[in-house]
Amino acid sequence: MDSVFYTLQDFFTHSKGMTYVLMGAALVAMTAMWNFLVARDEKDWPE
Amino acid sequence: MMSEEAIAGNKSLFTPFNLVAGIIVLMGVLLTILRFTGGLGAITNLSDNNPWGIWISFDLLCGVALAAGGYTTSAACYIFGLKKYHSAVRPAILTAFLGYALVVLALHYDVGRPWRLPYPIFVQQGTTSVLFEVGLCVFLYLTVLLIEYSPAALEWLGLKKVRNIVVKLTLVLTIFGVILSTMHQSSLGALFLIAPSKVHPLWYSTYLPVFFFVSSIFAGLSMVIFESTLSHHYFHDKMDDTHLKENRHVTFGFAKAACWVLGGYFVMKVFGISMDNNWHYLGTSYGLWFLVEILGFVALPCFLYAVAVREKNVRLIKWTALWTVLGIVVNRFNVSMIAFNWQLPSSERYFPHWMEIGVTVFLITVFIIAFRFIAKRMPIFYEHPEYRDTH
Amino acid sequence: MSITRRRFLGWMGAAGMGLTVGRPANAAGNKNFSGYPESIGVLHDMTRCIGCRKCEAACNEINKLPAPEQPFDDLSVLDNKRRTDATTYTVVNRYDGIQGADGPIYRKVQCNHCQEPACASACFVRAFNKTEKGAVTYDASVCVGCRYCMIACPFYVPAYEYNEPLEPRIMKCTLCYPRLMDGKLPGCVEICPKEALTFGKRDDLITIARERIRSFPEQYVQHIYGEHEMGGTNWLYVSGVPFSALGMREDLGVTPAPKLTSGALASVPVIAGLWPVLLTGIYAVSKRKDKIAAQERRQAVKAALTQASADAESKLSKALEQAELKHKRLLEVEVKKAVEEATANNEEENS
């Protein structure tokens, strides 16, 4: 990451590649977060 | 030469369907051999100026757009909670799954080295490319569709425990499916953003991704209605009461939704022209064809769906659905083949080779054969008695 | 291990100090991309080209391309406009009858080795690479053959081996990259007899071209083609006649190809980040609505049942009351009857 980017193409290759990886991580993280959020919700049919 | 039906009730192998399908499959096999012994040049009219032909315009672009019924139907049922559409989900998912599988199969004919199709994901990633995003999403979505389809197969195979685990994943898969579908439906439009000098101004727009995504919604809804019409004709004996009862609700509900989205899409198309101030192109011959597309294949079906819903005219809905599907084909052809390279002299324009059409017909036939095989044996149009009310 | 207040404050202090030290944010943050500084290019002066096709011959030989149907010294080939193809990295075209020109004008066509190549942007396996040297190279060992690069190139340069069944390649000018790395000139430049091709650093070539135009303003159109087109190319052109007359498009704009699709690609992370929130939200709302509707239904049923049982009970108690009354009356009647009978019997006995 120390390198200078001489072309827009190189910059985008780097930044978009990083973003794709983060997208995958985000989807996993959000699933975990959702489970955490609703874990103690009442079940559907409280009697 | 029909063989006599045995007293045990064996069906003859030489039904009209099998005969026609068999001939087409045979032709497909021959064309496949030619493709991989003679190269693309042996069976296509592709050229250096026209690298993409109907295998891209129809098999890929239309195939993906028309398979959109999978994500729209499952979203309606599981995310929006419209449970009355439940019986439409499995047929829609099957259509989508087989549709995407056939798209991938078609790509094996079109790309120069199909065994390298996994390369962009697993070997070297061209992350600046819209096509990379398309490939990644299609790969992931085909997997999602396979899993969403699998309960039907698992029920058929009697694998109860696995089936029950998979069914628990429905909501997550549906959400993931909508995410992936939004991405790749829009990206198929975005593919053409890189060639502004080659696409006619009336079709080139920054909104191309929006156009492709929004139109995929009513393409999918209309395809569900169309497929349901055909299925009712050929698989009626496989449909259970729930499916038959809900069908009317599905038809009207989807027609209403398609109408509404068509309206929004029409408005967006007009904005596309106004934003780039391209009104003067409407007076040209390409302009006339553009008007045919948005008036005849967008505004008209929007209006017809509305009339049909108001008058409770099921027959009109079904014909409008077919017309809408045709309109999608017209649009995808326009962007990728007719408005593309519009500035080249006519001697350098592309027209498909009959063998390209032959391969496409072959692939559609394979789709129908697979659909028929599955629909006749697996719980697609009916609920398996052992799993009733467990969705 | 519990943290003492002192230790905690110590850590915070260290972290704060750490923020003040460090290397300056380096050019991973630069937003202006002006290409590799030592980038090599070629200046094609179309007032000098005589259409001898020696460059085509040199290219063919150096790259070991198959021999063409008509030999390179056959100038009748120039009667037709040609483009690059699977066996031809470069062609020379002749343009006749141009207004303001004394005779035919010739133009050499080949890959322009763009500063921000559309082919590189479009390729989903990174088969194209803009090298430091300036040449845009193609790596056939990863190419899948999707031909999106051919769609993307605004100059219609890449060609494809459509007749190769198993190992088809994209074919295009390499700027003789191996020769460049060897310190040699590209084949076409070396052989050109009229100095229509000038080789050097791109920046220098632009200076030379500007100087040429400045020195001979009647001879040249006041524009260096390739200086800004599509973000700039390494193959530059100067001409005595309008470029559009030579089949060169002047409406390509200056936007580099990566910028053309970056907007659409930027929407992808938005979908990945926000759709889960939106869709799960809709699901949760819809589920909640169902839950409340079910609750209300249950309550209504309960109330109806309670009401029904209350009604039934009141009915029952009323009926019981009435029955009791009836029973009482009946008793009274019986008693009366018995008393009357007894009285009658008594009277009979006494008489």
Side-chain angles (χ1 to χ4, degrees):
Chain A
M1 302 230 214
D2 278 31
S3 61
V4 174
F5 296 115
Y6 287 103
T7 60
L8 186 59
Q9 176 64 18
D10 283 343
F11 172 72
F12 275 160
T13 303
H14 173 82
S15 66
K16 290 186 200 299
M18 179 67 69
T19 307
Y20 271 110
V21 171
L22 288 173
M23 271 194 268
L27 285 171
V28 173
M30 300 206 81
T31 313
M33 183 64 193
W34 174 256
N35 283 328
F36 179 68
L37 178 62
V38 301
R40 296 195 189 163
D41 278 3
E42 286 169 12
K43 291 289 168 222
D44 283 314
W45 307 92
E47 223 42 81
Chain B
M1 276 46 42
M2 307 273 277
S3 50
E4 295 301 304
E5 282 194 274
I7 300 163
N10 285 332
K11 288 254 192 74
S12 151
L13 210 53
F14 296 102
T15 63
F17 175 82
N18 285 358
L19 277 171
V20 174
I23 293 173
I24 294 176
V25 168
L26 189 61
M27 172 193 70
V29 170
L30 290 172
L31 291 175
T32 309
I33 294 173
L34 282 177
R35 159 71 181 89
F36 289 102
T37 53
L40 284 164
I43 67 170
T44 70
N45 277 343
L46 299 172
S47 66
D48 291 329
N49 282 343
N50 296 293
W52 283 357
I54 59 154
W55 289 347
I56 296 295
S57 298
F58 184 79
D59 298 32
L60 173 64
L61 297 182
C62 296
V64 171
L66 298 176
Y71 85 86
T72 47
T73 312
S74 57
C77 178
Y78 297 119
I79 298 179
F80 289 88
L82 302 169
K83 302 219 170 56
K84 291 221 189 102
Y85 297 143
H86 183 261
S87 63
V89 172
R90 277 200 178 171
I93 294 286
L94 178 62
T95 307
F97 169 58
L98 292 178
Y100 275 82
L102 264 300
V103 165
V104 172
L105 187 57
L107 285 177
H108 281 70
Y109 286 81
D110 186 76
V111 301
R113 305 193 210 211
W115 46 92
R116 286 191 182 170
L117 276 169
Y119 272 40
I121 301 174
F122 297 105
V123 174
Q124 192 163 276
Q125 298 77 27
T127 51
T128 61
S129 169
V130 178
L131 195 58
F132 171 77
E133 201 265 310
V134 172
L136 181 62
C137 285
V138 168
F139 164 70
L140 290 172
Y141 188 52
L142 185 58
T143 314
V144 165
L145 282 170
L146 172 63
I147 302 174
E148 282 186 310
Y149 153 73
S150 66
L154 291 169
E155 287 168 16
W156 180 58
L157 293 168
L159 298 169
K160 215 174 187 142
K161 253 200 290 196
V162 186
R163 178 262 181 206
N164 286 338
I165 296 175
V166 174
V167 164
K168 286 203 172 61
L169 297 172
T170 302
L171 181 65
V172 170
L173 289 172
T174 304
I175 292 178
F176 197 37
V178 175
I179 293 171
L180 290 171
S181 293
T182 311
M183 287 182 184
H184 68 258
Q185 296 283 358
S186 57
S187 291
L188 284 174
L191 281 176
F192 296 94
L193 291 174
I194 205 163
S197 61
K198 298 188 185 181
V199 180
H200 189 280
L202 284 174
W203 281 271
Y204 186 88
S205 163
T206 353
Y207 294 142
L208 267 169
V210 176
F211 292 159
F212 271 55
F213 170 58
V214 173
S215 58
S216 79
I217 298 176
F218 59 77
L221 295 173
S222 302
M223 255 319 259
V224 169
I225 298 176
F226 176 64
E227 167 267 309
S228 156
T229 310
L230 291 178
S231 296
H232 269 253
H233 194 267
Y234 293 105
F235 304 116
H236 193 272
D237 55 324
K238 294 273 175 282
M239 297 180 171
D240 65 11
D241 283 336
T242 319
H243 188 100
L244 293 169
K245 252 198 309 193
E246 288 184 352
N247 181 253
R248 199 178 159 77
H249 191 85
V250 171
T251 306
F252 280 100
F254 278 32
K256 248 195 196 161
C259 167
W260 195 225
V261 179
L262 273 161
Y265 176 69
F266 180 80
V267 168
M268 280 307 303
K269 284 286 244 189
V270 173
F271 287 161
I273 306 186
S274 67
M275 287 293 278
D276 289 326
N277 203 28
N278 280 332
W279 303 105
H280 59 284
Y281 284 107
L282 291 176
T284 64
S285 51
Y286 274 101
L288 184 62
W289 184 237
F290 180 80
L291 287 171
V292 168
E293 182 194 313
I294 65 165
L295 293 177
F297 290 99
V298 179
L300 180 64
C302 174
F303 177 67
L304 291 179
Y305 267 137
V307 167
V309 164
R310 283 162 60 105
E311 317 261 302
K312 307 254 188 297
N313 186 341
V314 173
R315 201 154 173 276
L316 182 56
I317 290 181
K318 294 185 175 175
W319 280 107
T320 308
L322 178 59
W323 190 247
T324 309
V325 166
L326 204 60
I328 292 292
V329 176
V330 167
N331 170 258
R332 298 316 195 245
F333 273 33
N334 281 348
V335 174
S336 61
M337 221 171 26
I338 296 174
F340 184 78
N341 272 346
W342 67 288
Q343 289 174 326
L344 289 183
S346 41
S347 57
E348 292 174 35
R349 296 298 300 274
Y350 159 85
F351 194 83
H353 193 288
W354 74 263
M355 292 197 215
E356 290 178 77
I357 302 176
V359 168
T360 300
V361 169
F362 161 64
L363 292 170
I364 296 174
T365 307
V366 170
F367 173 93
I368 296 175
I369 293 173
F371 190 95
R372 198 164 161 274
F373 178 90
I374 293 174
K376 285 196 165 207
R377 288 163 185 74
M378 304 188 202
I380 303 290
F381 293 111
Y382 62 91
E383 282 184 281
H384 195 292
E386 281 178 47
Y387 301 93
R388 211 156 263 153
D389 300 327
T390 59
H391 299 265
Chain C
M1 171 194 113
S2 60
I3 308 173
T4 64
R5 189 178 298 142
R6 185 180 291 177
R7 203 176 282 163
F8 179 76
L9 287 175
W11 287 349
M12 288 295 104
M17 286 296 287
L19 285 174
T20 64
V21 182
R23 293 162 305 185
N26 42 41
N30 70 312
K31 291 294 186 287
N32 184 38
F33 306 95
S34 38
Y36 292 100
E38 305 290 302
S39 218
I40 302 284
V42 175
L43 173 64
H44 180 32
D45 190 330
M46 293 183 286
T47 64
R48 299 183 182 181
C49 180
I50 57 168
C52 65
R53 301 186 67 208
K54 287 215 170 69
C55 50
E56 292 190 41
C59 175
N60 179 280
E61 191 192 312
I62 284 173
N63 290 294
K64 301 197 183 21
L65 294 167
E69 276 174 21
Q70 284 145 303
F72 289 105
D73 53 10
D74 181 354
L75 297 181
S76 67
V77 159
L78 298 175
D79 292 343
N80 299 312
K81 300 285 183 298
R82 297 169 297 148
R83 59 151 285 164
T84 55
D85 62 35
T87 57
T88 314
Y89 287 175
T90 185
V91 293
V92 175
N93 279 336
R94 187 183 74 220
Y95 299 89
D96 299 304
I98 301 176
Q99 218 184 26
D102 293 332
I105 308 288
Y106 301 91
R107 172 168 78 99
K108 180 182 182 296
V109 180
Q110 72 301 303
C111 174
N112 286 327
H113 297 277
C114 305
Q115 295 273 70
E116 302 284 358
C119 53
S121 176
C123 182
F124 68 167
V125 280
R126 290 205 325 265
F128 291 95
N129 180 37
K130 174 73 173 177
T131 59
E132 250 187 80
K133 208 64 174 172
V136 176
T137 56
Y138 164 74
D139 181 2
S141 74
V142 292
C143 176
V144 182
C146 73
R147 309 185 301 286
Y148 187 33
C149 53
M150 298 168 77
I151 297 277
C153 178
F155 304 107
Y156 288 94
V157 162
Y160 199 61
E161 293 185 305
Y162 284 110
N163 293 324
E164 170 56 50
L166 296 175
E167 297 186 321
R169 297 168 294 172
I170 290 284
M171 303 295 274
K172 77 165 188 74
C173 161
T174 61
L175 239 195
C176 285
Y177 184 66
R179 285 172 64 95
L180 291 184
M181 296 309 275
D182 245 352
K184 295 194 236 158
L185 291 172
C188 51
V189 172
E190 197 173 55
I191 204 138
C192 178
K194 303 301 281 182
E195 283 188 37
L197 300 171
T198 309
F199 176 83
K201 291 223 289 253
R202 184 178 187 268
D203 294 333
D204 293 340
L205 292 176
I206 292 183
T207 310
I208 293 171
R210 288 208 183 121
E211 186 55 34
R212 227 179 264 181
I213 295 175
R214 195 192 68 82
S215 308
F216 305 100
E218 292 93 40
Q219 259 185 53
Y220 290 100
V221 168
Q222 306 272 320
H223 181 65
I224 306 170
Y225 192 96
E227 189 178 358
H228 298 298
E229 278 78 357
M230 296 302 296
T233 61
N234 280 39
W235 206 284
L236 304 157
Y237 304 80
V238 288
S239 164
V241 298
F243 293 96
S244 50
L246 302 175
M248 298 168 79
R249 289 186 65 164
E250 298 196 74
D251 60 345
L252 294 178
V254 300
T255 312
K259 272 245 169 74
L260 292 169
T261 56
S262 62
L265 282 173
S267 71
V268 172
V270 175
I271 298 170
L274 294 184
W275 255 226
V277 174
L278 197 67
L279 297 170
T280 323
I282 295 174
Y283 165 76
V285 167
S286 142
K287 253 241 126 155
R288 177 128 188 90
K289 271 179 80 176
D290 282 349
K291 187 172 167 182
I292 294 181
Q295 232 170 42
E296 288 181 350
R297 231 180 303 132
R298 271 202 316 274
Q299 274 171 7
V301 166
K302 209 170 173 188
L305 273 174
T306 323
Q307 182 73 316
S309 84
D311 282 346
E313 257 199 63
S314 75
K315 246 199 201 155
L316 189 64
S317 66
K318 248 202 210 141
L320 269 170
E321 244 183 70
Q322 275 186 3
E324 237 189 272
L325 218 69
K326 214 181 187 178
H327 184 73
K328 233 198 212 161
R329 292 237 181 85
L330 256 170
L331 255 169
E332 276 176 15
V333 166
E334 288 303 310
V335 164
K336 213 178 177 191
K337 242 209 230 161
V339 163
E340 275 180 12
E341 251 189 61
T343 322
N345 276 352
N346 244 5
E347 276 188 17
E348 244 190 56
E349 266 177 31
N350 284 348
S351 57

